[in-house]
């Protein structure tokens, strides 16, 4: 009788751009973008490195594709809700997604991104703001101001030298460096963190609310 394949045998998945990008994304998330190379990626996929170039032109092309996958995870602003609500949801979603992919914020900020997910993301953002009454130039200023807050806050969160639960202990360690006679206000703030009267936590939505409220005031005052 002919032998039947073992139930444990598997057919190798065909190599494709999507599969390459998904595996590259996983490796960048766990090992960092600096550790990602075409050779290591080929090993993870079980193929020869040269076969990758049938699907990605070079490493920069691969990183562009990875960034577009990340952007595709961000919630698009909806025209079905108030623009402030839509842009708040967009910002919180972007911050959450970028924290999930620690390498992606710098890549997103430092590259020309014209992938389909990015183009949809930007177009939906502009649509939300323009339909709310922003001119095209002001919509451009508005979403870039919001994105600067998102990117900056995310990078700070990813790179801050200690955890939130360590704030009080760190404040005690540093309070001697801020004597009250020389730095009275900073000394008072440090004591409030030490004593638990202030948690010292950076608040993403506080800054976001300030930006959205300021933009709302501007657009309301410029409506015809």
């Amino acid at each position: 009788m002919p032998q039947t394949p073992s139930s444990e045998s598997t057919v190798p998945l065909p190599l494709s751009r999507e599969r390459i990008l998904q595996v590259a994304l996983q490796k960048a998330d766990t090992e960092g973008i600096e550790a990602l190379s075409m050779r290591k990626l080929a090993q993870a996929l079980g193929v020869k490195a040269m076969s990758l170039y049938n699907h990605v032109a070079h490493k920069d092309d691969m990183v562009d594709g990875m960034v577009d996958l990340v952007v595709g995870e961000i919630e698009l602003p909806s025209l079905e809700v108030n623009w402030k609500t839509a842009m708040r949801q967009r910002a919180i979603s972007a911050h959450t997604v970028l924290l999930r992919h620690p390498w992606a914020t710098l890549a997103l900020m430092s590259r020309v991104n014209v992938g389909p997910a990015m183009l949809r993301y930007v177009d939906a953002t502009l649509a939300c703001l323009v339909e709310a009454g922003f001119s095209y130039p002001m919509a451009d200023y508005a979403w870039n101001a919001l994105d600067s807050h998102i990117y900056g806050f995310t990078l700070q969160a990813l790179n801050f030298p200690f955890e939130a639960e360590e704030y009080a202990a760190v404040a005690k360690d540093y309070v001697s460096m801020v004597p009250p006679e020389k730095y009275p206000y900073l000394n008072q703030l440090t004591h409030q963190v030490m004593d638990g009267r202030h948690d010292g936590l950076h608040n993403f939505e506080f800054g976001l609310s300030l930006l959205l409220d300021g933009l709302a005031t501007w657009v309301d005052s410029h409506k015809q």
Side-chain angles (χ1 to χ4, degrees):
M1 293 180 61
Q3 291 185 343
T4 57
S6 167
S7 61
E8 296 182 357
S9 65
T10 57
V11 177
L13 292 173
L15 197 61
S16 66
R17 181 177 175 87
E18 181 179 2
R19 184 178 169 221
I20 290 170
L21 294 178
Q22 288 289 353
V23 173
L25 182 64
Q26 293 168 10
K27 289 187 72 64
D29 287 348
T30 56
E31 301 174 18
I33 195 73
E34 300 82 5
L36 185 63
S37 69
M38 301 298 272
R39 180 181 59 80
K40 290 181 179 179
L41 182 58
Q43 289 176 345
L45 287 161
V47 299
K48 295 189 180 296
M50 289 305 297
S51 63
L52 300 180
Y53 293 100
N54 294 320
H55 306 278
V56 292
H58 38 64
K59 185 176 178 179
D60 279 345
D61 178 39
M62 183 174 66
V63 174
D64 287 342
M66 294 161 59
V67 168
D68 209 52
L69 287 179
V70 171
V71 172
E73 297 178 21
I74 300 173
E75 179 180 344
L76 298 179
S78 171
L79 297 179
E80 304 301 317
V81 298
N82 174 271
W83 73 268
K84 283 179 67 178
T85 300
M87 294 302 288
R88 178 181 295 277
Q89 291 171 342
R90 170 193 182 272
I92 293 171
S93 175
H95 180 52
T96 302
V97 168
L98 292 173
L99 287 176
R100 192 159 63 234
H101 304 286
W103 59 273
T105 303
L106 278 175
L108 186 57
M109 295 168 58
S110 61
R111 310 178 76 83
V112 176
N113 301 294
V114 291
M118 175 59 77
L119 296 178
R120 284 193 301 271
Y121 180 56
V122 174
D123 192 69
T125 300
L126 289 173
C128 181
L129 294 169
V130 170
E131 294 300 323
F134 289 83
S135 66
Y136 276 92
M138 277 308 300
D140 189 33
Y141 291 143
W143 76 266
N144 277 288
L146 289 165
D147 280 5
S148 293
H149 176 63
I150 295 166
Y151 299 155
F153 200 99
T154 302
L155 287 173
Q156 184 180 53
L158 289 170
N159 293 283
F160 209 68
F162 47 85
E163 300 297 325
E165 59 270 16
E166 300 175 303
Y167 278 26
V170 171
K172 290 178 183 177
D173 290 341
Y174 280 88
V175 68
S176 62
M177 300 176 62
V178 286
E181 65 276 9
K182 193 170 184 179
Y183 309 107
Y185 297 97
L186 184 54
N187 179 273
Q188 282 295 315
L189 179 61
T190 304
H191 275 282
Q192 289 198 13
V193 174
M194 289 167 52
D195 300 341
R197 288 176 286 159
H198 174 52
D199 59 19
L201 299 179
H202 303 151
N203 191 317
F204 177 73
E205 292 201 46
F206 176 78
L208 179 61
S209 293
L210 290 180
L211 281 168
L212 290 172
D213 288 346
L215 290 170
T217 298
W218 186 93
V219 75
D220 289 344
S221 68
H222 285 76
K223 284 182 178 177
Q224 298 298 325

